Structures are given as C-alpha cells and as structure tokens.
Amino acid sequence: MDGVSTPTPIQTEDSELLVRIAQGDAHALDELFRRHRTTAYRVAYRLLSNEADALDAVQEGFTNALANISRFRGGSSFKTWLLRIVSNASVDLGRQRQRRDSRYTATVADENLNLIANQPPPEAGLERADLRERLKAALAAIPELQRQTFVLHIDGQMSYQEVAEALDISIGTVMSRIFYARKRLQTLLADYVCP
Amino acid sequence: MNSEQQHWQFQLLAYVDGELSLAERRLVEDRLRFDPVAQELLRDLELLAPSQQEFWANVEPRQPSSGQWLAVRDALRDAIPTQPKPAPHFRSRYAWAILAGIAVSACAMIALFWPRGGNIVPQQNPEFVQQPTPAEDPLAEFAVLPIAGPGDVMIIAIHGDRSPGLVSCDHPIPEMLALARSEDVDIAPPSLFRMSDPWEISRPEPTDAPVLMSPREPR
C-alpha cells in the first residue's frame, strides 16, 4: 500500500455542507460542527491546557473558518483549513493569556520541567488524570512552533503534508519540528512512556 | 549531526508515522535490519508515535458536555449569517426607476393627505349616538295620571275619621285616577258626625304636595 501522504482532496460531503451553509441551512451548519468539533477541541485543549479557553478557541475557529470560507480554495480538506484556524486561534489565545497573567512567565516552563523531573516514578495503574497533567506540563515545556506542529499531527490526526499546508511550511520543516518535539517529550515523560 | 544523519532520522520518523511510500519503507527496513543504532532510535521514536493508541487514549482530554456544545453551536448560529435567496431578476432596464418613482409618489401622497395630529375632534354621528333612555316612570302603569292641585280640591271634612287627612272618594285607584274636583268629592259636613273635636277647614297651600285619593275601608 502506498504510504505517501498526498493532499486529501476536498470531501464531497463537507463541500456539500458548505454550499448549504452558504444558502442559510442551519442544519448543515450543525452537521459540520458536529463532525469536526471533537478533533478541533482536542487540538485546542492540547495547545491551551484549559477547557474553557479551548471551547473559546473552537468557537472562534469555527466562526472565522465559516465567515471567511470564500478564502478556502478547496486545495486541501475543510478539516485542514479548520484546524489551521483553530490552532492559530489557540496560539493567539495562549499568548493573550500569558500577557494577561503576570505569573505566567518564562519561568513557568522551567517549573514544569522541575515538576516532571521531581515526580517519583509512576506506579502501575497510573490515573489518566495524572498522566494528562504530565503531558500538559511536558507540552508547555517545548517551543511553541514545535508544540503546534506536534499537536496538529497527533491530535489533529493530520499527515505531514496536511500539517505543512495548514502551517504554510515545508514537509521537511514539519518533520524537523515533530522529530525534536517528540525527542523532548520522550525525555520529559521517560518514566511514563518506557516500553 | 550532519545533514545525512538528520535526513536518516527524519526518514525513520516518517517510517514510524506511516508517511513513507512503499519503496521508501523498504529502504528503511533494509537499514534497520543491520543497524542497531537505528533500531534503538526507532524504539525511541515509537514511544510517542500516533500508533501508540493506548497511550493517547489515556491522555485523551475530557470532552465538553452536551450543554457546552449546544452553547457553542448556538453562538456559531448567531455568528454565521443566513444568506437570503437572490431576488428575481428584473429584465426591464427601467424597472427599478419606475418602482422608485412609484414609491416616492406614494410617500408624497401620504405626506400630503395624512391627517394632522393634535386637534382632531371626534364627530358624533347622531345615528350612532345612543340616546339616553328615559328614566323609568313609576306611574307608567296608570292609565291616567292627573294630579289634583290645591285649587282643585277643597277639603272640608273627612268621613268617620278623627284625624285630619286626605279626602277619599269612591273611585278606586289605580283603575281610575281622575282629577279631583270639589263636586267629585262628597264630603259630609262636620255637623253630621259626632266628633269630639271640631274640624277645621283645611285648605291646601300651593306648596303642598299633590294629593292622591284612595278609597278607605268603611269603619
């Protein structure tokens, strides 16, 4: 089977929904929202680590994506287009939060590293919530561009090509960012992801 | 790290993530077969690969509630405007000008003939004005309703009655209520009665109320 990631052509179903939305079909809007909201939320949450902020980013992402649908040329899938906007909205919201919260400085990343480093090895049957917290802290400790690229690939379930289109970068850059992000996360989560 | 090593690492990453073509996969697998360093790097890269379904399932974020989703959906509905259907195409070049002229004329007509507010006095149509009903006549059931005035009656005496009072006659009322005149009333002179007190002739004053006459029971 050919494993080359090729650009996903626009899905007929999404395109049909977009046409109906442009005609004022509220049910088509609901269907499109229902179809992509879970993935969009997962991406936003992974980038923001906050449920309320993630919901805001999802709402803003959907709104911007549909309000500017005329800019969507159809070269990629609507999902790629949407997750690009959602991830950008999440990054912007995260920056606003950092500026707003005086406690959230560059030292927080170091604090996260200390948190991870000083924690005792996990016991068998580690709770999901605790593991999520560990991952949250580890993601916050890697550079923003690497984090965004990694999250789109893993949580957005996007191929290298789709991530490259979404972020308007080369596939080589995608691979580089994912590689170093994964290496860093592996180091931070060594006690939790050992084979 | 030179570019070749970096390229090999990225190829290995793409191999782990299933991003390589069949030919590229075979090249990587050939090298893995004989390169222990590559095998170790492969194991490291597999730790957080998308294929690690158990790990990613454990860290899946908690999804919003249905109520939260509905709130976002409603906000999205409000934000995305409804596109109206396109208006029918007017073939006539001057159709819009004609419509505009009609609209302006209508507005002018309304402005000219619209009644001014403030001094409008409602006009009563006598046909529709409800006439007040006359007060109910308490004596409407009487066939004749003359009233004896003071000049019509001269009271001299009352038969068989010691107290001054009204003159009685033999005409029952209400069947017949006639204007009482002196000759209509038979009043016996006081001398015919054995009365202890003399009678006084009582003449009604103009201010007296009209007198109604009613039969008396014989004593």
Side-chain angles (χ1 to χ4, degrees), chain B residues 44-65:
Chain B
D44 289 342
L45 292 175
E46 285 178 340
L47 292 176
L48 291 174
S51 57
Q52 299 296 327
Q53 296 182 4
E54 182 178 356
F55 174 80
W56 293 112
N58 285 334
V59 296
E60 180 75 13
R62 187 172 48 245
Q63 285 288 321
S65 65

Side-chain angles (χ1 to χ4, degrees), chain B residues 4 36 54 75 78 93 112 136 141 144 146 155 163 169 196 200:
Chain B
E4 183 179 352
E54 182 178 356
D78 294 338
R93 178 181 300 181
L112 286 174
E136 187 175 2
E141 61 183 325
V144 178
I155 299 175
S163 62
C169 68
S196 60
E200 294 182 357

Side-chain angles (χ1 to χ4, degrees), chain A residues 3 28 30-31 65 68 106 152 164 166 171 174 185-186:
Chain A
D30 295 349
E31 172 59 24
N68 297 286
L152 283 175
I171 292 182
V174 172
L185 290 173
Q186 179 193 339

Side-chain angles (χ1 to χ4, degrees), chain B residues 3-118:
Chain B
S3 60
E4 183 179 352
Q5 289 179 337
Q6 188 179 62
H7 175 74
W8 162 243
Q9 290 179 343
F10 292 171
Q11 283 288 97
L12 201 57
L13 174 70
Y15 172 80
V16 170
D17 292 346
E19 293 281 346
L20 296 181
S21 65
L22 184 59
E24 291 172 332
R25 289 179 62 84
R26 287 179 176 173
L27 290 175
V28 172
E29 289 169 354
D30 288 342
R31 180 164 178 174
L32 284 172
R33 200 172 292 119
F34 303 105
D35 188 344
V37 175
Q39 294 174 5
E40 183 178 355
L41 180 57
L42 177 68
R43 283 192 293 272
D44 289 342
L45 292 175
E46 285 178 340
L47 292 176
L48 291 174
S51 57
Q52 299 296 327
Q53 296 182 4
E54 182 178 356
F55 174 80
W56 293 112
N58 285 334
V59 296
E60 180 75 13
R62 187 172 48 245
Q63 285 288 321
S65 65
S66 57
Q68 289 175 310
W69 280 133
L70 284 176
V72 175
R73 186 210 64 180
D74 292 344
L76 193 61
R77 279 186 174 184
D78 294 338
I80 303 302
T82 302
Q83 298 292 333
K85 292 184 178 180
H89 176 66
F90 280 88
R91 297 185 179 276
S92 172
R93 178 181 300 181
Y94 304 104
W96 288 110
I98 294 173
L99 287 175
I102 294 174
V104 171
S105 301
C107 291
M109 296 290 285
I110 292 172
L112 286 174
F113 296 102
W114 192 264
R116 298 288 183 263

Side-chain angles (χ1 to χ4, degrees), chain B residues 105-161:
Chain B
S105 301
C107 291
M109 296 290 285
I110 292 172
L112 286 174
F113 296 102
W114 192 264
R116 298 288 183 263
N119 295 324
I120 297 176
V121 179
Q123 300 293 330
Q124 286 189 345
N125 187 340
E127 294 183 359
F128 296 98
V129 175
Q130 187 175 5
Q131 298 295 334
T133 57
E136 187 175 2
D137 189 354
L139 300 178
E141 61 183 325
F142 294 105
V144 178
L145 190 63
I147 295 176
D152 299 321
V153 178
M154 182 172 66
I155 299 175
I156 299 176
I158 297 178
H159 295 284
D161 194 291

